[in-house]
């Protein structure tokens, strides 16, 4: 009998020893981490689900008074056009059907006009559309015999053209000469045309025509920049080499190109409309954000919160939940920090995540993870500036959000990575972890001063339900921030000309000059700019983005029908050719309105 029991006892002993070893290895060590007793989680795993490819048919809707985008190659960068025009508030219909597109007065044919993709009858219909008073905008006239109609000579495709300069100078250097390509990996194709009878609006740096229009009843226009490809590359964070400044500068190259097509839509459509990019009555939007990633910063943040609260403004505080002692710093996310985070929330501020480890490895070498990372087992240990042990992208997202939600009641939906490190898997990881908003890249890098929707893998295939709010002003460049107050004010003024967004990034490692900068900038733009945090503005922006508007003739006038799946709070619809000029929408989620236009 004893011989039979012996193997069972040995197995039980082995199990106990293994369990003891596991407990010893996995136990929290108060000497290297802060332990929150009884806190474990998140319990639910984060699962990354590959979204279905975004299809042209999803945008093949709406009435004939929108800008029509006729896609002649579905493998092109057409999704960049969708993201850009939606950000700029231009109503669009996207279709592969030439007959459907030609029901619209203004048609953008993308990416190619050629007998290889359009029949002779369809090419004749495009030409007739212009002669009948319509507007056709093309990128690559690669054949079809329409060169004479557009008034340009032969086009030459290349990626070596780096700049284009507008012939009608505005006196704004960054807008008058924009970047369209770069050397190395950040190359974007362009088509430079020989001059002809069309009036050139812009020329490339090699002297060829970059943009031109010829009036023949309506207008036939060419834009030699592959706008869809440029938009995709920029918004996907794959065009850093294009920007003339990394941050703290005005870089509207993408915005200028979208506005050029927008203005052609407004000129050619009998009753155009645009959804404003700023809340009603405001010239611009300023998002005040703070990266809380240093021990004293957690408590210092309260002074910034008090200053914003005194001005009736909500800011966003991206808090690093640093509970590990490592190369970067000692532990500073502890019980005292939790109390300070609660203080931020009590002052009406938003709290977002700024990771756990704040490691430079986040962008290039950190693995995605399995989505089951949990505190306290998740213990990322930073070894050097760019190396970290035991960290994953999902762990950084999941665990930081869990601790801020569980311990402080923050309900985190906004994220900013340490060092603005931007891995290709971030969009899908954000969605899987419960985030809706990101501020992970600079406005100059993406060539736009507007928010935009992210794509899966920062690639061309599928949209993710997460919006990016790029950084416009930050505090780490020389000279000190307060000495750059006038420069920041001037930047906001430039962005305000087109009702753009400036996201301000401040590290509250001190409460002197940086705090005075924030107070002064807020005071200068009081009453003119909308001011707040990422979540507050993000909720407004996503509701605006979801609006479904159409304008249609009725009797001797027009009517605008608005459907608001996510509601509409102070969303302004601009009507450039209507007597009232604008309409402000205030609708509950699922609301609908019908407005007469004269």
């Amino acid at each position: 009998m004893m011989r039979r029991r012996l193997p069972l006892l040995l197995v039980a002993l082995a199990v106990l020893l293994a369990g003891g070893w596991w407990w010893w290895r996995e136990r929290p060590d108060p000497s290297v981490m802060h332990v929150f007793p009884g806190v474990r989680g998140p319990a639910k795993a984060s699962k990354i689900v590959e979204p279905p490819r975004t299809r042209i048919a999803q945008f093949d809707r709406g009435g004939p008074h929108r800008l029509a985008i006729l896609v002649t190659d579905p493998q092109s960068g057409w999704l960049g056009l969708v993201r850009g025009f939606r950000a700029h508030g231009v109503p669009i219909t996207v279709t592969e059907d030439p007959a459907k597109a030609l029901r619209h007065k203004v048609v953008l044919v993308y990416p190619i006009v050629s007998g290889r993709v359009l029949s002779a009858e369809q090419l004749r219909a495009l030409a007739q559309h212009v002669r009948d008073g319509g507007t056709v905008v093309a990128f690559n006239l690669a054949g079809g015999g329409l060169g004479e109609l557009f008034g340009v000579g032969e086009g030459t495709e290349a990626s070596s053209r780096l700049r284009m300069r507008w012939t009608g100078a505005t006196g704004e250097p960054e807008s008058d000469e924009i970047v369209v390509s770069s050397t190395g990996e950040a190359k974007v194709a362009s088509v430079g045309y020989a001059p002809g009878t069309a009036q050139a609006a812009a020329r490339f740096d090699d002297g060829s025509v970059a943009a031109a229009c010829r009036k023949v009843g309506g207008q036939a226009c060419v834009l030699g920049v592959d706008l869809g490809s440029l938009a995709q590359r920029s918004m996907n964070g794959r065009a850093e080499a294009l920007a003339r400044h990394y941050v703290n500068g005005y870089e509207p190259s993408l915005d200028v190109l979208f506005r050029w097509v927008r203005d052609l839509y407004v000129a050619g459509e009998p009753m155009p409309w645009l959804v404003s990019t700023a809340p009603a009555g405001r010239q611009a939007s300023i998002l005040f954000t703070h990266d809380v990633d240093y021990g004293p910063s957690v408590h210092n943040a309260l002074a910034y919160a008090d200053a914003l609260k005194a001005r009736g403004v909500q800011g966003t505080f991206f808090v690093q939940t640093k509970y590990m002692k490592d190369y970067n710093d000692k532990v500073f996310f502890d019980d005292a920090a939790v109390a300070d985070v609660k203080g931020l929330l009590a002052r009406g501020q938003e709290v977002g995540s700024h990771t756990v480890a704040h490691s430079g490895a986040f962008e290039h070498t950190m693995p995605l993870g399995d989505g089951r990372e949990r505190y306290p087992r998740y213990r990322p240990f930073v070894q050097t500036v760019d190396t970290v042990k035991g960290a994953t992208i999902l762990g950084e997202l999941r665990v930081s959000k869990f601790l801020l939600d569980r311990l402080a009641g923050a309900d985190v939906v906004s994220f900013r990575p340490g060092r603005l490190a931007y891995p290709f898997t971030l969009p899908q990881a954000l969605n899987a972890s419960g985030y809706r908003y990101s501020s992970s890249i600079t406005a100059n890098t993406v060539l736009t001063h507007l928010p935009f929707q992210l794509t899966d893998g920062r690639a061309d295939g599928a949209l993710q339900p997460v919006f990016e709010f790029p950084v416009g002003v930050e505090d780490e460049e020389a000279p000190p921030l307060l000495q750059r107050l006038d420069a920041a004010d001037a930047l906001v003024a430039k962005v305000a000309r087109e009702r753009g967004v400036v996201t301000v990034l401040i590290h509250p490692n001190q409460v002197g000059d940086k705090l005075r900068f924030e107070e002064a900038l807020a005071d200068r733009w009081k009453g003119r700019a909308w001011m707040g945090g990422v979540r507050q503005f993000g909720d407004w922006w996503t509701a605006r983005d979801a609006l479904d508007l159409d304008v249609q003739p009725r009797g001797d006038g027009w009517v605008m029908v608005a459907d608001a799946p996510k509601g509409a709070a102070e969303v302004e619809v601009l009507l450039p050719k209507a007597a009232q000029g604008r309409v402000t929408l205030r609708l509950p989620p699922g609301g609908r309105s019908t407005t007469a236009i004269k």
Side-chain angles (χ1 to χ4, degrees):
M1 184 67 69
M2 286 296 294
R3 290 178 180 177
R4 291 179 182 177
R5 290 180 180 177
L6 188 60
L8 295 176
L9 291 172
L10 290 174
V11 170
L13 181 61
V15 170
L16 288 172
L17 288 173
W21 175 83
W22 178 88
W23 176 85
W24 179 264
R25 183 175 65 90
E26 295 293 320
R27 79 196 192 289
D29 185 349
S31 67
V32 295
M33 71 178 291
H34 181 79
V35 180
F36 295 99
V39 176
R40 299 181 181 278
K44 186 178 179 181
S46 298
K47 185 177 181 181
I48 291 182
V49 178
E50 185 176 353
R53 189 174 183 86
T54 303
R55 297 175 295 109
I56 292 171
Q58 295 173 232
F59 307 98
D60 191 353
R61 64 176 189 268
H65 297 283
R66 301 181 177 201
L67 168 67
I69 301 174
L70 173 59
V71 178
T72 58
D73 178 5
Q75 302 305 313
S76 64
W78 64 269
L79 188 56
L81 298 178
V82 170
R83 297 165 77 190
F85 283 123
R86 282 170 59 182
H88 282 265
V90 179
I92 57 172
T93 292
V94 188
T95 183
E96 295 180 82
D97 183 349
K100 185 178 291 187
L102 289 173
R103 295 173 195 159
H104 298 245
K105 292 289 287 186
V106 185
V107 181
L108 170 60
V109 185
Y110 179 82
I112 190 170
V113 176
S114 166
R116 299 193 304 272
V117 296
L118 296 170
S119 69
E121 182 182 358
Q122 291 167 340
L123 290 167
R124 286 194 296 270
L126 281 176
Q128 191 60 46
H129 187 71
V130 175
R131 296 187 185 100
D132 291 341
T135 298
V136 174
V137 186
F139 158 59
N140 190 348
L141 295 175
L146 296 184
E148 182 180 354
L149 175 72
F150 283 85
V152 292
E154 183 178 358
T156 304
E157 189 169 355
S159 58
S160 56
R161 303 180 185 99
L162 308 183
R163 302 280 193 274
M164 63 180 283
R165 185 169 184 83
W166 300 93
T167 56
T170 65
E172 184 64 66
E174 301 95 337
S175 298
D176 289 342
E177 183 175 274
I178 63 173
V179 298
V180 295
S181 186
S182 182
T183 56
E185 295 182 0
K187 291 181 178 179
V188 178
S190 63
V191 178
Y193 292 94
T197 57
Q199 182 175 357
R203 294 184 182 276
F204 288 116
D205 42 15
D206 64 359
S208 60
V209 173
C213 288
R214 179 171 180 254
K215 293 186 177 181
V216 195
Q219 286 199 98
C221 302
V222 291
L223 176 63
V225 178
D226 187 337
L227 182 54
S229 178
L230 179 63
Q232 284 291 82
R233 182 173 286 278
S234 300
M235 292 179 179
N236 291 341
R238 296 172 180 259
E240 285 193 28
L242 270 71
R244 288 168 286 201
H245 307 281
Y246 174 68
V247 72
N248 296 320
Y250 185 51
E251 185 56 271
S253 293
L254 198 59
D255 293 334
V256 168
L257 291 169
F258 276 105
R259 293 198 295 258
W260 189 73
V261 181
R262 177 203 67 187
D263 292 346
L264 290 175
Y265 161 72
V266 169
E269 166 57 41
M271 186 53 70
W273 74 97
L274 305 166
V275 182
S276 178
T277 50
R282 302 299 180 179
Q283 300 173 26
S285 301
I286 303 175
L287 311 186
F288 287 109
T289 71
H290 314 78
D291 286 7
V292 184
D293 50 22
Y294 166 64
S297 297
V298 188
H299 192 70
N300 290 349
L302 296 175
Y304 290 79
D306 286 335
L308 291 172
K309 182 181 178 181
R311 291 160 173 79
V313 175
Q314 181 189 81
T316 298
F317 292 81
F318 291 105
V319 177
Q320 180 189 358
T321 57
K322 183 171 179 51
Y323 53 82
M324 296 291 296
K325 179 183 178 182
D326 56 23
Y327 171 87
N328 276 347
D329 200 352
K330 62 183 180 181
V331 169
F332 58 74
F333 189 74
D334 52 17
D335 295 327
V338 169
D340 286 335
V341 173
K342 289 180 178 179
L344 294 173
L345 295 169
R347 289 162 171 81
Q349 305 301 303
E350 180 196 8
V351 170
S353 165
H354 197 43
T355 75
V356 177
H358 198 282
S359 170
F362 188 78
E363 182 165 6
H364 296 298
T365 60
M366 192 177 291
L368 177 60
D370 61 11
R372 295 192 296 271
E373 297 85 351
R374 294 179 176 88
Y375 177 90
R377 288 204 314 265
Y378 181 71
R379 299 170 199 169
F381 186 82
V382 177
Q383 298 166 309
T384 68
V385 172
D386 293 315
T387 61
V388 60
K389 181 180 179 182
T392 67
I393 291 170
L394 284 170
E396 294 294 285
L397 295 172
R398 284 168 46 81
V399 174
S400 60
K401 173 177 166 56
F402 165 74
L403 290 174
L404 292 167
D405 289 350
R406 168 72 168 76
L407 297 171
D411 188 22
V412 169
V413 296
S414 303
F415 175 78
R416 175 175 290 151
R419 308 174 192 273
L420 296 187
Y422 195 19
F424 288 108
T425 54
L426 185 58
Q428 55 267 41
L430 287 168
N431 184 33
S433 304
Y435 293 87
R436 301 203 304 271
Y437 309 123
S438 165
S439 185
S440 304
I441 198 167
T442 67
N444 288 6
T445 301
V446 294
L447 309 182
T448 177
H449 293 273
L450 290 173
F452 52 87
Q453 191 170 355
L454 295 179
T455 56
D456 193 66
R458 292 166 51 196
D460 292 348
L463 291 169
Q464 284 282 358
V466 180
F467 284 81
E468 171 65 29
F469 299 83
V471 174
V473 175
E474 63 83 55
D475 62 352
E476 292 190 312
E477 282 192 348
L481 192 56
L482 187 59
Q483 295 178 32
R484 293 190 273 122
L485 174 61
D486 289 341
D489 182 56
L491 173 60
V492 176
K494 290 177 181 179
V495 173
R497 293 172 191 168
E498 293 290 339
R499 301 187 179 189
V501 181
V502 176
T503 301
V504 179
L505 186 164
I506 295 176
H507 294 83
N509 57 315
Q510 49 105 323
V511 292
D513 289 355
K514 292 184 181 183
L515 178 57
R516 288 195 289 274
F517 168 90
E518 184 164 271
E519 293 171 329
L521 189 63
D523 291 342
R524 288 190 182 189
W525 283 92
K526 180 181 180 180
R528 294 186 293 156
W530 183 95
M531 293 182 283
V534 173
R535 179 177 191 160
Q536 192 179 16
F537 189 76
D539 289 349
W540 179 87
W541 185 268
T542 53
R544 165 201 176 272
D545 184 76
L547 278 172
D548 190 14
L549 299 175
D550 259 311
V551 169
Q552 50 195 286
R554 178 179 293 181
D556 61 350
W558 300 77
V559 65
M560 181 180 73
V561 179
D563 287 297
K566 296 185 179 181
E570 303 299 321
V571 177
E572 202 166 56
V573 181
L574 308 178
L575 300 161
K577 295 183 179 178
Q580 64 259 59
R582 63 195 64 207
V583 171
T584 300
L585 299 176
R586 301 177 180 89
L587 296 171
R592 165 176 273 214
S593 69
T594 302
T595 306
I597 300 171
K598 294 183 180 179

